[in-house]
Amino acid sequence: MKKIIVPLDFSQQSEYALKVAVSLAKKHGAEILALHMLELNQAMITSTEGFHPEQTVFLIKLAEKRFKEFLNKPYLEGLKVTPIIKHYKVFSEVNEIALEHNAELIVMGSHGTDGLEEIFIGSNAEKVVRNAEIPVIVIKNEINDFKIERFVFASDFREESTEAFEKAKAFSEMLQANLDLVYINTPGDDFMSSSDIYTRINNFIGKVNQALQVEIYNDYSVERGVLNYSEANNADAIGISTHGRKGLAHFFMGSIGEDVVNHSKIPVVSFKI
């Protein structure tokens, strides 16, 4: 791991994310790309609607000063921190910056359950996850010494899930974490017999050409199963897969990702399929 992007908006949650990025940067000798997107719109930048240029310059300078002060933290000493400021919020640019700088990870804060409508429905974290081609860690609480020793990755083990699995495996190897694979079996239309589950898992193992151990965990929903299994096995983080732009609404709004991220007490890592 060489470069970590941290979107910062001066909130407490974004500082929680910054501290996690610092823990990772110190352990892996990585550079932190501190990204701040100003609350300016195109009209203010171009001054086409009567907004005076000097006012725009003043706001930019004020934000830059505040950003500099925000990054003046004792725990950042000795680390390479590169501040990046964008004049207004275009969240697809987070992925563009990641590609431009060859970053391997995005660490971002979230308010959790109470901030569901604000954070996930048409909001910052959702937009970053939608566009990110690299893993995104969502942090909700302060973690003084961030480390992942046991990483739970839940999958349906269909053929189209191989890419997400490969990314999760690479992520766990990068952090030297144990990858704990689980299939959540639920009642109703999605219920599968043990025989059917093992057949699907064996086909998946043949596809990825790796020896894998997969736990089968029964629960009333995939979301609760992922959370309960992770808690029962003392996981340090949970991995979920997203389908990017096409599948985001299906994935986040009223589905697995939304519930897992908002009810998880531990960090959640998203991998784009």
Side-chain angles (χ1 to χ4, degrees):
M1 189 187 303
K2 298 299 180 183
K3 295 182 181 181
I4 304 168
I5 293 179
V6 189
L8 299 172
D9 61 3
F10 310 133
S11 67
Q12 187 176 50
Q13 283 72 27
S14 70
E15 184 162 9
Y16 292 162
L18 180 61
K19 289 182 177 180
V20 166
V22 166
S23 293
L24 291 170
K26 287 181 176 179
K27 292 171 183 175
H28 298 275
E31 173 187 357
I32 292 177
L33 305 179
L35 173 64
H36 178 59
M37 293 180 172
L38 303 183
E39 297 285 354
L40 303 179
N41 57 39
Q42 187 63 39
M44 295 169 69
I45 297 294
T46 60
S47 190
T48 58
E49 298 186 9
F51 202 91
H52 299 296
E54 58 268 23
Q55 291 176 286
T56 302
V57 172
F58 172 76
L59 290 174
I60 291 174
K61 294 297 182 183
L62 186 65
E64 289 176 346
K65 179 177 182 294
R66 188 181 179 193
F67 192 37
K68 183 177 180 179
E69 292 171 350
F70 187 83
L71 292 176
N72 186 25
K73 311 286 187 184
Y75 57 79
L76 290 173
E77 291 182 6
L79 292 175
K80 183 177 181 181
V81 180
T82 301
I84 300 173
I85 295 181
K86 294 295 181 180
H87 287 163
Y88 50 93
K89 290 185 176 180
V90 180
F91 287 98
S92 60
E93 287 190 330
V94 179
N95 186 60
E96 293 171 7
I97 292 168
L99 296 177
E100 178 184 348
H101 292 271
N102 295 317
E104 291 91 354
L105 184 65
I106 298 170
V107 184
M108 190 167 187
S110 167
H111 292 76
T113 304
D114 294 336
L116 174 61
E117 291 184 358
E118 177 184 355
I119 297 301
F120 269 92
I121 299 181
S123 70
N124 300 354
E126 176 244 349
K127 292 171 184 174
V128 171
V129 170
R130 174 188 302 173
N131 291 281
E133 296 179 32
I134 61 175
V136 180
I137 301 182
V138 180
I139 303 295
K140 290 189 295 185
N141 305 302
E142 186 169 19
I143 305 173
N144 293 321
D145 182 23
F146 180 78
K147 59 183 177 180
I148 298 178
E149 294 181 352
R150 190 163 193 177
F151 180 49
V152 167
F153 183 72
S155 176
D156 58 10
F157 296 97
R158 296 180 185 273
E159 185 174 332
E160 57 267 28
S161 299
T162 55
E163 183 178 354
F165 161 75
E166 295 291 356
K167 291 181 179 180
K169 183 173 182 294
F171 177 83
S172 65
E173 289 174 349
M174 181 171 62
L175 297 187
Q176 298 180 324
N178 293 318
L179 182 60
D180 192 344
L181 301 174
V182 61
Y183 175 87
I184 307 299
N185 197 27
T186 58
D189 293 339
D190 294 327
F191 174 79
M192 293 181 66
S193 68
S194 296
S195 176
D196 289 340
I197 294 172
Y198 286 123
T199 297
R200 180 184 292 184
I201 291 173
N202 287 333
N203 289 337
F204 185 88
I205 290 174
K207 183 70 176 179
V208 299
N209 194 28
Q210 295 185 45
L212 304 175
Q213 181 175 342
V214 180
E215 293 288 333
I216 298 173
Y217 189 85
N218 299 309
D219 214 317
Y220 292 106
S221 71
V222 174
E223 298 87 354
R224 293 312 311 168
V226 171
L227 295 171
N228 289 335
Y229 177 85
S230 300
E231 183 177 357
N233 288 276
N234 298 313
D236 300 301
I238 297 171
I240 58 174
S241 59
T242 67
H243 293 79
R245 294 180 180 85
K246 293 181 180 178
L248 188 73
H250 172 73
F251 190 86
F252 271 96
M253 298 182 185
S255 66
I256 298 171
E258 178 186 297
D259 242 18
V260 171
V261 171
N262 283 284
H263 295 111
S264 175
K265 298 177 182 179
I266 59 178
V268 177
V269 190
S270 69
F271 302 94
K272 185 177 179 180
I273 296 176

